[in-house]
């Protein structure tokens, strides 16, 4: 797998690389020729298991309107009622406008870090069974890999049971 060098990244991918570097990590964002817009496309393009893909899903609290980021294994679906119990309020799926407003990224390239507004973050416990994970890095063609045991520290998320 070959990608572009970090000094040639698109603006959104560079923003993710900067967030990684600011967090004291050395993970490298790469931009790939194949699409990574969906978890399935990502796994096919990267050549990894579907479960190793970190889906970054934006919701918002129904009453508070605060952004909620769910980092979910590519092979899992979210059970919103489970997450609502952790959050203390119901969740509603964020639309494209809200997502871009709070993250600064378009749907299809939402990374787990580097958002304009720090969301409440929950991490699917199933992600931690893998040694290496792959996450979007700001565009439908940009990704980065990281050791699963670094995801909690990088995102300051709470590990939770979120799958249906």
């Amino acid at each position: 797998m070959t990608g572009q060098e970090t000094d040639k990244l698109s603006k959104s991918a560079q923003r993710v690389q900067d967030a990684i570097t600011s967090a004291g990590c050395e993970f490298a964002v790469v931009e790939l020729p194949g699409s990574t817009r969906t978890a399935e496309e990502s796994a096919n393009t990267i050549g990894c298991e579907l479960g190793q893909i970190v889906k970054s899903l934006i919701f918002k609290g129904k009453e508070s309107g605060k952004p909620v980021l769910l980092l979910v294994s590519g092979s899992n679906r979210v059970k919103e009622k489970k997450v609502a119990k952790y959050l203390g309020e119901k969740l509603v799926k964020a639309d494209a406008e809200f997502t871009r407003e709070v993250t600064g990224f378009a749907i299809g390239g939402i990374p787990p870090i580097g958002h304009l507004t720090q969301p409440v973050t929950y991490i699917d416990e199933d992600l931690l069974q893998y040694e290496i994970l792959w996450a979007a890095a700001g565009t439908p063609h940009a990704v980065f890999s990281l050791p699963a045991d670094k995801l909690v520290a990088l995102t300051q998320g709470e590990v939770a049971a979120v799958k249906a």
Side-chain angles (χ1 to χ4, degrees):
M1 187 173 55
T2 60
Q4 295 179 358
E5 297 301 316
T6 55
D7 61 343
K8 297 178 183 176
L9 293 173
S10 66
K11 186 177 176 184
S12 290
Q14 186 61 54
R15 206 170 106 216
V16 176
Q17 184 64 64
D18 293 345
I20 291 167
T21 304
S22 294
C25 298
E26 297 182 13
F27 319 131
V29 170
V30 292
E31 291 186 303
L32 305 171
S35 176
T36 59
R37 184 176 301 275
T38 68
E40 291 81 9
E41 289 175 353
S42 297
N44 289 337
T45 297
I46 293 164
C48 68
E49 287 183 47
L50 182 58
Q52 289 177 271
I53 301 298
V54 179
K55 295 190 290 190
S56 297
L57 307 174
I58 299 291
F59 288 82
K60 62 181 174 179
K62 186 173 182 177
E63 290 82 35
S64 68
K66 65 183 167 188
V68 179
L69 172 63
L70 303 182
L71 302 176
V72 182
S73 174
S75 56
N76 290 348
R77 292 186 54 85
V78 172
K79 178 80 171 178
E80 293 172 28
K81 286 183 179 182
K82 283 186 177 181
V83 179
K85 287 181 184 176
Y86 299 117
L87 188 62
E89 66 178 309
K90 288 184 178 181
L91 290 178
V92 293
K93 185 77 169 160
D95 62 19
E97 183 179 339
F98 179 84
T99 298
R100 186 178 281 283
E101 182 181 300
V102 301
T103 69
F105 301 101
I107 292 171
I110 306 289
I113 59 168
H115 299 183
L116 298 176
T117 302
Q118 181 62 42
V120 175
T121 304
Y122 295 102
I123 301 168
D124 181 352
E125 63 188 356
D126 287 358
L127 286 168
L128 303 183
Q129 70 183 303
Y130 297 98
E131 188 174 329
I132 299 294
L133 300 173
W134 289 88
T139 79
H141 296 279
V143 295
F144 69 98
S145 66
L146 71 157
D149 62 3
K150 301 289 186 195
L151 187 60
V152 174
L154 184 64
T155 64
Q156 298 169 13
E158 179 182 329
V159 177
V162 301
K163 72 180 175 186

